[in-house]
Amino acid sequence: MAAEPEGQAEHRHRPPDASCSTKAGGKSTRVRGCKVLTAGGFTGGPSERRTGTYSVAGDVLTIKWKIAQTWTEQWYVRKSPDGKLARLDLKRSTLATHGYGYGSNASYATRRAMSSVKAFPSSLRQDLTSWAGGKLVRSANQPFGLSSFRQCSGTTSCLTYLQPSSNSACQKEGGCPRYGGGTKANISSIQYYLTMISKTDRRDTLWHWCTCLAMERGQFCYTGNSHVKPLMQIIDDSGAFRGWVGAEASFSTDGSRAKDMLAVLRISDFR
């Protein structure tokens, strides 16, 4: 993990309550009580409306968007074993290079509360394609430890998880020369926050950052370019939660595109 540059994000929620966070520094089993951040603009209503036409031939969905430039997408449509969810695998696009998608008969206003998310009985795994430091990186079939998250009893719209350590992130050479993994302090924990954005649609957000980065700055809540990941819940035909599709949108403010952290991802039981 490289040192994280200053970035753009916005506050959304008050800090999670004491049942799932702490106001104390140092070692703890709970995340720090910080206001959860997400990508700028994600908390407001949609600011764009796009129209187009679509057609389905066999298992291929084709979408032609009506914008100033040519934008055509094709997706393979794969049905889940229970027939309640469709997964969209990107075949080609004239503008995009990577993407993930899902579809069902559930309305956009259908969402599941964080209590239902926490109670999800199946395992979730993550596929992610990211661009950082001028490199394209792919990771697939990574377990997403939903069972490790705490359900907040007061701030019920939030789940939290303090990952005790990491073998690769939050290291001495990754921006934490005094406190990270491999130093005398050897702190490589990660603060995770999973929060609802809207009660009326499927927006959630995932926020995480290395504890040592805040310590390097003498801060309680890290103000650098932390990982902000806007998410959309995946809901199947029966209205059940099946995971998320999302993006990382962590932009550097120093003008260096090499320091941006951008990604598309899916976290689901059907991949």
Side-chain angles (χ1 to χ4, degrees), residues 208-229:
H208 58 95
W209 44 278
C210 294
T211 308
C212 63
L213 289 172
M215 297 173 69
E216 294 287 343
R217 293 185 171 204
Q219 297 176 336
F220 182 72
C221 298
Y222 184 52
T223 61
N225 191 28
S226 52
H227 295 273
V228 289
K229 296 180 177 178

Side-chain angles (χ1 to χ4, degrees), residues 45-50:
S47 59
E48 297 182 22
R49 180 182 295 271
R50 293 174 179 165

Side-chain angles (χ1 to χ4, degrees), residues 24-230:
K27 292 185 177 180
S28 175
T29 59
R30 290 173 290 171
V31 300
R32 298 185 177 193
C34 301
K35 289 184 178 181
V36 178
L37 303 182
T38 190
F42 189 59
T43 61
S47 59
E48 297 182 22
R49 180 182 295 271
R50 293 174 179 165
T51 60
T53 60
Y54 74 90
S55 61
V56 179
D59 64 350
V60 177
L61 165 67
T62 300
I63 304 173
K64 296 181 179 180
W65 295 102
K66 294 180 180 179
I67 60 173
Q69 62 190 123
T70 302
W71 184 6
T72 301
E73 299 176 351
Q74 285 191 316
W75 301 79
Y76 292 108
V77 182
R78 314 295 190 195
K79 291 185 178 180
S80 61
D82 61 9
K84 295 181 180 181
L85 186 66
R87 189 186 76 227
L88 303 180
D89 298 336
L90 186 64
K91 180 182 179 182
R92 72 175 186 89
S93 171
T94 54
L95 295 182
T97 57
H98 300 85
Y100 304 107
Y102 288 84
S104 75
N105 292 322
S107 71
Y108 177 60
T110 304
R111 65 162 292 120
R112 296 277 70 85
M114 283 300 167
S115 56
S116 296
V117 171
K118 172 63 178 171
F120 183 66
S122 302
S123 61
L124 297 173
R125 303 187 79 85
Q126 174 181 273
D127 296 327
L128 179 145
T129 303
S130 66
W131 186 88
K135 297 180 180 179
L136 189 68
V137 179
R138 296 181 179 90
S139 65
N141 200 31
Q142 299 298 314
F144 185 81
L146 184 59
S147 61
S148 297
F149 280 75
R150 292 174 181 261
Q151 171 72 62
C152 301
S153 60
T155 318
T156 57
S157 59
C158 191
L159 305 177
T160 66
Y161 169 48
L162 180 67
Q163 180 178 321
S165 62
S166 171
N167 293 327
S168 57
C170 316
Q171 302 296 302
K172 176 181 179 179
E173 65 276 12
C176 291
R178 293 177 295 173
Y179 295 101
T183 66
K184 184 177 180 180
N186 199 37
I187 297 171
S188 60
S189 60
I190 304 178
Q191 313 270 335
Y192 282 93
Y193 307 76
L194 183 54
T195 299
M196 175 185 71
I197 293 296
S198 171
K199 294 181 180 179
T200 59
D201 58 52
R202 302 184 189 184
R203 283 176 293 166
D204 292 335
T205 194
L206 179 64
W207 181 45
H208 58 95
W209 44 278
C210 294
T211 308
C212 63
L213 289 172
M215 297 173 69
E216 294 287 343
R217 293 185 171 204
Q219 297 176 336
F220 182 72
C221 298
Y222 184 52
T223 61
N225 191 28
S226 52
H227 295 273
V228 289
K229 296 180 177 178

